Amino acid sequence: TPVADIAYVAFDGDRRIGAGSLRDVARAARQALDRDRLASILIFESESSALVDIDLRGSVDDVLSRIPPAPARPAEEDAV
């Protein structure tokens, strides 16, 4: 994943378990909880390092259904 595309990072304790879009990171976090229900998951927004609160209850599909779609990126203007 190119660095510019890493908008979020998830950790289980001090181990990075996912990086990328919020949906990718939420999926990784839910899967980590499926492997270890006592996992200590923290998700951060990469640019500001702000902690992100995601409801990780239910299945991966349940978690993803609660995440709003990412806003569309504005098209780059053509250089003339």
Side-chain angles (χ1 to χ4, degrees), residues 57-76:
R57 294 176 296 159
S59 69
V60 170
D61 289 338
D62 293 335
V63 172
L64 295 178
S65 73
R66 291 188 289 266
I67 296 175
R73 291 184 181 188
E76 292 187 32

Side-chain angles (χ1 to χ4, degrees), residues 45-65:
E45 193 275 324
S46 296
E47 191 171 315
S48 68
S49 298
L51 191 59
V52 178
D53 186 27
I54 295 178
D55 183 351
L56 295 173
R57 294 176 296 159
S59 69
V60 170
D61 289 338
D62 293 335
V63 172
L64 295 178
S65 73

Side-chain angles (χ1 to χ4, degrees), residues 7-32:
Y8 299 88
V9 179
F11 292 91
D12 177 4
D14 61 356
R15 187 174 66 93
R16 187 176 95 164
I17 59 168
S21 71
L22 187 55
R23 294 179 67 79
D24 291 341
V25 170
R27 178 184 302 278
R30 180 63 249 173
Q31 290 170 338

